[in-house]
Amino acid sequence: QVQLVESGGGLVQAGDSLRLSCAASGRTLSAYSMAWFRQAPGKEREFVARIRWSGGTTYYADSVKGRFTISRDNAKNTVSLQMNSLKPEDTAVYYCAAKVVVRAEYEYWGQGTQVTVSS
């Protein structure tokens, strides 16, 4: 089992920055892929960014590319999402997720943290 706890959400204005963190525990994460998803009201959950714990390769959704940066801290077992130039359409509940790299679906999810961007 992997336990994930997100933090760092809040209310900001358009153009501001926010940093989300995800604390992971329960397993050695070297074989895992970590990701951020988000779900806006009335919409389906969508992928935002992912990072492979081993090697650190990253991948982003087109909607956040160039504005968001995903990173990991091996010593603290945390994954972060730095969000810059926030837009009202970034408003959503953001979820941290984890899966073994070879698996297709993300197995473990955090409880989510609300990000609200006002115009």
Side-chain angles (χ1 to χ4, degrees):
Q1 290 283 346
V2 176
Q3 291 79 43
L4 304 171
V5 179
E6 302 100 333
S7 61
L11 171 64
V12 296
Q13 293 187 332
D16 285 351
S17 297
L18 205 58
R19 187 177 182 88
L20 305 182
S21 292
C22 173
S25 61
R27 288 277 179 89
T28 300
L29 297 174
S30 58
Y32 279 74
S33 173
M34 308 293 293
W36 288 94
F37 289 77
R38 66 186 182 187
Q39 187 167 21
K43 294 187 177 181
E44 293 188 354
R45 186 170 58 197
E46 65 173 356
F47 167 81
V48 176
R50 70 165 184 257
I51 185 168
R52 289 186 67 163
W53 199 269
S54 177
T57 54
T58 59
Y59 183 78
Y60 298 91
D62 288 342
S63 59
V64 306
K65 201 173 294 182
R67 299 188 298 124
F68 291 11
T69 302
I70 189 170
S71 61
R72 82 231 188 280
D73 185 325
N74 290 339
K76 296 181 179 179
N77 245 29
T78 59
V79 175
S80 297
L81 185 69
Q82 178 67 41
M83 304 185 294
N84 298 330
S85 303
L86 282 162
K87 305 175 182 180
E89 52 263 43
D90 294 318
T91 294
V93 177
Y94 283 71
Y95 297 92
C96 179
K99 72 176 181 78
V100 175
V101 169
V102 296
R103 295 195 176 164
E105 300 295 328
Y106 282 85
E107 307 164 79
Y108 304 103
W109 295 85
Q111 82 287 355
T113 186
Q114 177 70 47
V115 172
T116 303
V117 184
S118 64
S119 57

